[in-house]
Amino acid sequence: GTGGVLSSVSIKDTSEGYLSPEQWHEEMKKMKEAATGGSSSSSENKSIPDDTVLIDCRNHKEYEIGHFEGSIDPNTKTFEQFPRWVQENKSALKDKKILMYCTGGIRCEKASAYMRRELETVSETTTVKHLKGGIHKYLDKYGGDGFFSGSNFVFDRRVGVDADEHTQNRGKDSTGTGNGSANKRIVGHCLYCKKSHDQFTPDAVCTVCRELTLVCADCKPSLHKEYHCVDHQYLKNCYFSNLSRFTQEELNSQLHELETLFSKIAVGKRYKNLRRTLQRQVGRINHTLVAIKSGTMVGSNTLACRSCGDVKCDGRCWGVHGLKRKLALQKNPQDLDEQPKKAVRLSSNQRSGKVLQKQKDIEEIKRFDLQKPPNSHRCQETCIRCPPPFLRILSSSVKGKWVGKSIESV
């Protein structure tokens, strides 16, 4: 969503920097002419002038199947990650003409306002503009005759709508097939074989995070319904939902790889969620190994749908949007790979860390005789209270944000 750091952007700030679809089209035309006139290279990254930066504010999966040529993909999975990308690339955006776009114009309103505010401290000559109404309004106006390539990602069962189909199906029901026109431009690629492919399907979601992935029909049979998104490709050899199809040697190999990965991120608040994910999978593998050794392992090819969690689902439920998964959790939670948990938050003085710290403080007071009345340590000559000195060692297993930074920056 548009929370987090972006929630500090006021409505007044979002009303600046609009470009109408006609103005945006003219900007794309100027960039195209400048690119073809100044260089013979056809590389997408060189298709815009050096002083202009074209940024796609959407998430990576949306960019994968369609975008304006030459645009930069921040490679985010959620919009809340966009401010971090801005901070990491602030110096590269200095003194640039920045053009931004998204699906319907909402996200780029906040993103452009945030970027405008952040870049003011770096450069006064930086300009930030965004497409009013987003890709939707642009394709309503120009369709396949514009500069948008591929399919426009939409948040319903069509998933992707081609530029020409966008104008042809305007006003129709949102339950279309999403097959697109016969002459559509495909910019997406299968994650495994790299062939041209831009059709997201409800059964092809990441085994680790349930993110939609681009997997063609030719690659699916050999993957056993286990797919890994771009961010989790490094886990494609050691993280699986169905462990019953692996031998003991293969499971041990997976376990070793997971433990190696875990050792690299064992310290630091940044990797807390990833550590939890790896630990959960290590526990599942250990449980399976124990079952194999005891002879109680029962092989099964039944795999719960990664979208809705229903073991009876064939993977075409579109539960990735959340509705069927919620119903399945309420109806039959024991059939799901994740049990619903009710969060119970204790009061601050009852949490385990506070209780342990209190016990340590009491032991320290007793050890150094600090529980005695004030006059017991008072100097007879000066009448000043002087408790006995002691040494306290402070340590932490968590890497602080200041590690690796200069004293001035801290």
Side-chain angles (χ1 to χ4, degrees):
T2 54
V5 177
L6 295 168
S7 61
S8 63
V9 177
S10 66
I11 297 177
K12 182 181 178 181
D13 294 334
T14 61
S15 60
E16 301 177 25
Y18 285 121
L19 287 178
S20 66
E22 294 81 6
Q23 291 172 322
W24 182 270
H25 189 75
E26 287 301 315
E27 290 290 341
M28 298 296 105
K29 187 184 293 184
K30 290 177 184 177
M31 288 160 50
K32 189 76 173 180
E33 290 173 353
T36 54
S39 174
S40 60
S41 174
S42 61
S43 173
E44 185 175 283
N45 292 331
K46 296 181 180 179
S47 63
I48 57 176
D50 292 337
D51 63 337
T52 303
V53 179
L54 183 59
I55 302 175
D56 192 324
C57 296
R58 304 172 301 162
N59 299 326
H60 177 70
K61 65 182 177 185
E62 301 171 68
Y63 178 90
E64 273 188 302
I65 62 173
H67 50 262
F68 286 99
E69 292 184 8
S71 59
I72 295 174
D73 174 22
N75 198 26
T76 58
K77 186 167 285 187
T78 64
F79 188 49
E80 290 181 354
Q81 297 172 353
F82 186 79
R84 183 189 301 172
W85 180 86
V86 174
Q87 294 299 327
E88 293 173 351
N89 296 274
K90 188 185 291 188
S91 59
L93 299 172
K94 180 182 178 181
D95 300 326
K96 300 289 185 181
K97 179 181 179 181
I98 300 173
L99 302 177
M100 309 173 72
Y101 67 93
C102 62
T103 305
I106 303 299
R107 283 177 285 182
C108 56
E109 277 186 350
K110 282 210 166 187
S112 62
Y114 172 79
M115 186 174 287
R116 196 178 296 113
R117 185 181 68 188
E118 292 298 311
L119 295 180
E120 279 180 356
T121 60
V122 179
S123 171
E124 295 181 357
T125 60
T126 304
T127 59
V128 183
K129 304 285 185 180
H130 62 274
L131 175 58
K132 187 175 183 180
I135 301 169
H136 274 305
K137 290 296 183 183
Y138 181 82
L139 293 183
D140 278 346
K141 179 71 177 179
Y142 295 100
D145 297 327
F147 292 97
F148 186 82
S149 299
S151 300
N152 180 28
F153 188 98
V154 291
F155 297 90
D156 56 42
R157 297 193 179 194
R158 295 173 298 172
V159 186
V161 180
D162 185 51
D164 289 324
E165 185 186 3
H166 191 279
T167 54
Q168 293 167 6
N169 290 351
R170 195 184 310 166
K172 289 189 177 183
D173 195 324
S174 63
T175 57
T177 60
N179 292 327
S181 58
N183 59 344
K184 66 180 293 186
R185 292 173 287 180
I186 299 178
V187 299
H189 298 87
C190 173
L191 196 56
Y192 293 89
C193 67
K194 307 303 178 184
K195 292 181 181 178
S196 295
H197 181 71
D198 67 349
Q199 293 296 311
F200 285 113
T201 55
D203 61 322
V205 295
C206 180
T207 298
V208 183
C209 65
R210 293 197 294 273
E211 184 81 352
L212 286 170
T213 58
L214 281 176
V215 185
C216 68
D218 295 334
C219 292
K220 284 184 179 181
S222 61
L223 296 172
H224 305 283
K225 297 182 180 180
E226 303 265 14
Y227 315 106
H228 296 79
C229 67
V230 175
D231 290 344
H232 294 121
Q233 278 291 297
Y234 69 98
L235 296 174
K236 66 180 181 180
N237 295 321
C238 60
Y239 195 109
F240 302 95
S241 296
N242 184 14
L243 300 176
S244 62
R245 61 188 179 90
F246 296 105
T247 64
Q248 186 173 344
E249 291 75 15
E250 290 173 331
L251 290 173
N252 282 321
S253 176
Q254 293 176 22
L255 188 62
H256 175 71
E257 188 169 345
L258 287 171
E259 290 173 344
T260 302
L261 290 170
F262 186 87
S263 65
K264 296 178 181 179
I265 58 169
V267 177
K269 185 177 179 181
R270 179 179 178 182
Y271 302 106
K272 183 174 72 172
N273 291 334
L274 181 55
R275 286 197 296 270
R276 188 183 297 124
T277 299
L278 297 183
Q279 284 176 326
R280 184 167 59 245
Q281 185 65 10
V282 167
R284 293 182 66 244
I285 293 177
N286 282 325
H287 178 76
T288 306
L289 286 171
V290 170
I292 292 175
K293 292 177 181 178
S294 62
T296 58
M297 181 67 187
V298 179
S300 174
N301 292 322
T302 303
L303 187 64
C305 174
R306 290 296 295 160
S307 291
C308 71
D310 192 345
V311 293
K312 299 177 182 178
C313 181
D314 60 359
R316 293 180 291 180
C317 62
W318 284 108
V320 69
H321 293 300
L323 295 178
K324 187 176 179 183
R325 185 170 186 84
K326 181 180 179 181
L327 294 173
L329 281 166
Q330 295 172 346
K331 184 179 178 180
N332 202 7
Q334 65 268 21
D335 285 342
L336 303 178
D337 56 346
E338 296 179 6
Q339 298 293 333
K341 296 180 181 179
K342 184 177 180 180
V344 179
R345 187 173 179 84
L346 299 173
S347 60
S348 59
N349 60 348
Q350 291 180 335
R351 294 174 196 162
S352 58
K354 290 284 186 179
V355 173
L356 183 62
Q357 185 61 44
K358 186 177 181 180
Q359 292 174 351
K360 288 182 178 179
D361 291 342
I362 293 173
E363 291 174 1
E364 189 177 74
I365 289 171
K366 291 179 179 179
R367 187 165 63 252
F368 294 105
D369 253 0
L370 298 178
Q371 78 274 19
K372 293 183 178 181
N375 59 1
S376 61
H377 299 294
R378 194 177 298 279
C379 177
Q380 298 298 328
E381 296 180 0
T382 61
C383 293
I384 298 175
R385 185 170 179 261
C386 301
F390 61 91
L391 180 66
R392 174 181 286 173
I393 300 175
L394 302 178
S395 63
S396 175
S397 60
V398 179
K399 185 185 292 183
K401 293 183 179 179
W402 45 265
V403 172
K405 295 184 178 180
S406 63
I407 296 178
E408 292 82 359
S409 64
V410 174

